[in-house]
Amino acid sequence: MTFDLFDALPTDPDAAPAAEPLAPGAVVLRGFAREAGPALLGAVGEVSAGSPFRHLVTPGGLRMSVAMTNCGERGWVSDRTGYRYDGVDPDSGRPWPPMPEPFRQLARDAAAAAGYADFRPDACLINRYLPGTRLSLHQDRDELDLRAPIVSVSLGLPATFLWGGLRRADGPARVRLAHGDVVVWGGPSRLVFHGIAPLAAGDHPLTGAERINLTFRKTR
Ligand code: MD3
Ligand code: FE
């Protein structure tokens, strides 16, 4: 029988997801957010009803291919004057929607599973990808406290995560991120260059032709 080996693999659906080291300080929790997926996506809908997705402009004047919104005390924004975290949504003129409780809980649990106790993010950037959308290699360094990790949650269509070294010139490694995968980026991995390859077309049962990525951040 061909499938004996596969049958022998652990398949207990209640088993805690394995924490797989990706690089020093970076831990992948495959499927960690799968159960919470529908609740998280519902909350994304509520956040984006208050602060709609928009394509920000880089300081260089380029329109970003990713559509973004935020929730929590502060949100990441970019315009001709630069990048910053802002307590006010520049489009609505009001504070960002509050961080939904399922967001807060998932970020906290994932950070704890990766060895970061008591993670309290004050910002969550929400990225929306459609087929063809990409995110070019960058570092996330607008946060004041670089000792805190960033927790990222992938929902919907799978993507190819590009992972550079600490220098932009280091060629990127590729990692597949699928629905429900959570990655905790801390320590030596906090300042790596990273991006997302152009999203392949597809149809996901929960999001259709979209990929949603949540990144939880402690910005101060
Ligand atoms: C490694 N988002 O929002 S998530 C971003 O899928 C961002 O939308 C990508 O890069 C996305 O800034 C990638 C994985 C990720 C997020 C933040 C990181 C990896 C990171 C910060 C530091 C190091
Ligand atoms: Fe990033």
Side-chain angles (χ1 to χ4, degrees):
M1 234 293 266
T2 321
F3 295 111
D4 282 348
L5 180 61
F6 294 104
D7 292 342
L9 291 172
T11 52
D12 176 2
D14 296 326
E20 153 217 313
L22 190 65
V27 174
V28 190
L29 304 165
R30 295 277 176 204
F32 193 90
R34 207 175 291 144
E35 250 187 53
L40 296 173
L41 288 165
V44 169
E46 284 167 30
V47 168
S48 63
S51 280
F53 284 103
R54 79 288 308 263
H55 294 272
L56 296 170
V57 173
T58 65
L62 299 174
R63 172 189 186 269
M64 293 185 74
S65 133
V66 184
M68 297 177 161
T69 186
N70 292 275
C71 60
E73 291 156 50
R74 308 212 292 160
W76 187 83
V77 290
S78 173
D79 60 22
R80 290 305 299 242
T81 71
Y83 311 124
R84 67 184 180 279
Y85 281 98
D86 202 317
V88 168
D89 173 353
D91 277 16
S92 71
R94 290 176 315 227
W96 300 97
M99 199 178 296
E101 207 43 52
F103 276 31
R104 213 177 276 289
Q105 194 62 51
L106 186 96
R108 190 180 170 78
D109 292 349
Y116 294 90
D118 203 28
F119 178 54
R120 295 169 198 264
D122 59 2
C124 176
L125 171 63
I126 308 176
N127 293 154
R128 186 186 67 194
Y129 296 76
L130 299 172
T133 301
R134 59 196 292 279
L135 185 63
S136 52
L137 285 184
H138 66 277
Q139 285 175 302
D140 288 35
R141 50 175 186 202
D142 300 326
E143 302 76 23
L144 278 182
D145 182 0
L146 293 174
R147 292 164 308 178
I150 288 185
V151 172
S152 82
V153 179
S154 292
L155 298 168
L157 289 182
T160 300
F161 178 74
L162 305 172
W163 157 273
L166 289 174
R167 290 168 306 162
R168 205 187 279 273
D170 295 344
R174 305 169 101 83
V175 180
R176 189 91 166 149
L177 292 179
H179 176 73
D181 289 350
V182 176
V183 191
V184 180
W185 314 87
S189 286
R190 182 63 184 74
L191 287 176
V192 293
F193 281 94
H194 61 277
I196 294 286
L199 196 77
D203 186 18
H204 189 275
L206 295 179
T207 64
E210 292 181 11
R211 170 175 186 264
I212 298 286
N213 180 261
L214 315 176
T215 46
F216 294 95
R217 299 139 188 272
K218 186 175 183 312
T219 69
R220 57 184 165 187

